[in-house]
Amino acid sequence: MRVTVTGASGLVGSALLASMLARDFEVTVLSRDPRRAVAGVDAFAWQPGHEPAPVEALSGRDAIVNLAGESIAQRWTEATKRKIHDSRAVGTRHLVQGLRTLAEDRAEALPPVLVSASAVGYYGPHGDEPLDEEAPAGMDFLAQTCQAWEAQAQAATSLGIRVVQIRIGVVLARAGGALAQMLPPFRIGIGGPVAGGRQFVSWIHLDDLVGLINVAIEDQDWSGPVNATAPEPVTNRDLAHALGRALRRPAVVPVPGFALRLLYGEMSQLLTTGARVLPAKALVLGHRFGHPQLDGALQSALSAEPRP
Ligand SMILES: NC(=O)c1ccc[n+]([C@@H]2O[C@H](COP(=O)([O-])OP(=O)(O)OC[C@H]3O[C@@H](n4cnc5c(N)ncnc54)[C@H](OP(=O)(O)O)[C@@H]3O)[C@@H](O)[C@H]2O)c1
């Protein structure tokens, strides 16, 4: 397999690359700074916000995986919100523009599949109502960003490319993301439920996400939006207690929502609200999760090697 990956230097991309290289895939990465690419891959420079993706990095590939995007885990100013939105919507438009150029100017074989990241933020904040892929999009900033991101990826279907939009939940990994942020207070016994703890956290173990992306590339039955979440989302309170159990520490110190709002502004909604997102389509397609239960997933994530 010859695969090109954007955002390959991130938490998900690094793990995906490792899995692909272990299977002897030929991997190309598109990066804002190709000098940081890991050994064993071809790296091309690409500024997703400013230019179409270079056709040399797309031509003759069996799949494209699009993971690039400005981190959402930062205080949201108007400027950072624009970056979060545009790095995904404009970046994906430029990626598809590269594919269109390949189809029109060079008459070369197009990659048959584009697997493009999205997020469970697509659905916006919900109570405890279970949500499958048919649920409507939310109205808030992240939901609008995800809609624009998915729509830009969907445009590749007009070129005859199969498109899978992976609506990713909170990725559990020791190397980064939400779990790595939670660990320091929980390790010293001052962690606990956030903002009452009733909001749902739709999570997925990093290895399961990597497995799901690989299946989406290879299985022709996968297309359109697919929720990448474990089958049993939990409340924030349950997550805090499970993490306390995994670390053998108390996890009872509540974190008030107003403190998070003071600290992080609008971004605090990532922690204080949630949605109960189910992997309905993946299960119908026969996908099996390696880490379907939270306790086992946390044990596994915490015992993983830290990223070098
Ligand atoms: N981790 C999660 O819990 C989670 C949950 C839901 C959705 N997702 C989505 O899944 C994708 C991968 O997640 P991740 O956790 O691996 O993200 P990450 O660690 O933040 O990495 C994202 C990658 O995107 C590129 N990037 C960063 N800022 C950018 C910008 N301003 N413009 C264009 N590219 C930029 C970087 O690659 P280069 O420096 O090489 O260009 C970076 O390595 C993201 O799009 C994220 O929104 C992740």
Side-chain angles (χ1 to χ4, degrees):
M1 288 282 273
R2 300 185 74 203
V3 182
T4 293
V5 183
T6 80
S9 54
L11 175 69
V12 179
S14 307
L16 181 67
L17 247 58
S19 85
M20 290 179 162
L21 293 173
R23 293 167 72 198
D24 282 333
F25 283 20
E26 244 180 74
V27 182
T28 303
V29 304
L30 281 170
S31 173
R32 295 166 306 159
D33 183 1
R35 290 169 305 177
R36 291 187 320 172
V38 293
V41 306
D42 273 342
F44 285 79
W46 177 45
Q47 302 304 325
H50 299 289
E51 57 190 352
V55 288
E56 297 73 23
L58 306 173
S59 168
R61 302 310 194 274
D62 297 304
I64 310 293
V65 180
N66 179 34
L67 301 171
E70 172 78 17
S71 172
I72 59 167
Q74 56 180 314
R75 201 179 172 92
W76 295 354
T77 60
E78 284 312 308
T80 52
K81 279 166 83 170
R82 178 123 314 273
K83 265 183 151 178
I84 288 168
H85 179 277
D86 289 358
S87 60
R88 292 172 171 81
V90 178
T92 304
R93 172 156 58 79
H94 280 148
L95 178 63
V96 174
Q97 205 173 323
L99 291 166
R100 185 160 287 120
T101 305
L102 184 61
E104 288 168 359
D105 298 358
R106 304 220 179 169
E108 289 179 33
L110 280 168
V113 58
L114 166 63
V115 177
S116 192
S118 178
V120 294
Y122 175 90
Y123 301 105
H126 275 262
D128 57 5
E129 168 200 355
L131 304 171
D132 65 14
E133 288 84 354
E134 301 298 315
M139 309 282 283
D140 63 343
F141 163 68
L142 277 186
Q144 285 175 6
T145 299
C146 290
Q147 280 182 82
W149 196 10
E150 291 190 10
Q152 295 298 343
Q154 190 66 16
T157 56
S158 68
L159 302 170
I161 295 174
R162 177 169 61 88
V163 174
V164 188
Q165 293 100 335
I166 306 270
R167 293 181 182 154
I168 303 172
V170 173
V171 177
L172 296 186
R174 182 172 159 191
L179 185 58
Q181 300 279 328
M182 290 170 78
L183 281 177
F186 275 81
R187 280 213 159 102
I188 56 170
I190 57 164
V194 167
R198 280 191 295 274
Q199 66 281 28
F200 268 84
V201 180
S202 297
W203 58 275
I204 184 166
H205 188 289
L206 178 60
D207 292 350
D208 271 336
L209 175 57
V210 166
L212 205 134
I213 293 172
N214 278 315
V215 172
I217 290 174
E218 288 167 34
D219 188 336
Q220 313 248 346
D221 290 341
W222 288 55
S223 71
V226 175
N227 293 337
T229 55
E232 289 185 21
V234 296
T235 62
N236 174 279
R237 175 179 299 275
D238 289 342
L239 174 62
H241 290 162
L243 186 54
R245 272 195 303 279
L247 296 169
R248 296 197 178 85
R249 293 280 187 282
V252 290
V253 182
V255 182
F258 76 85
L260 290 170
R261 274 188 291 279
L262 271 179
L263 212 56
Y264 299 118
E266 190 183 350
M267 189 278 265
S268 65
Q269 74 177 62
L270 286 181
L271 307 164
T272 58
T273 66
R276 187 178 186 178
V277 179
L278 303 179
K281 209 154 153 184
L283 292 175
V284 166
L285 287 162
H287 189 69
R288 289 183 181 228
F289 288 81
H291 303 281
Q293 308 285 339
L294 182 60
D295 283 317
L298 283 173
Q299 290 291 355
S300 158
L302 293 172
S303 64
E305 286 294 311
R307 192 148 51 126

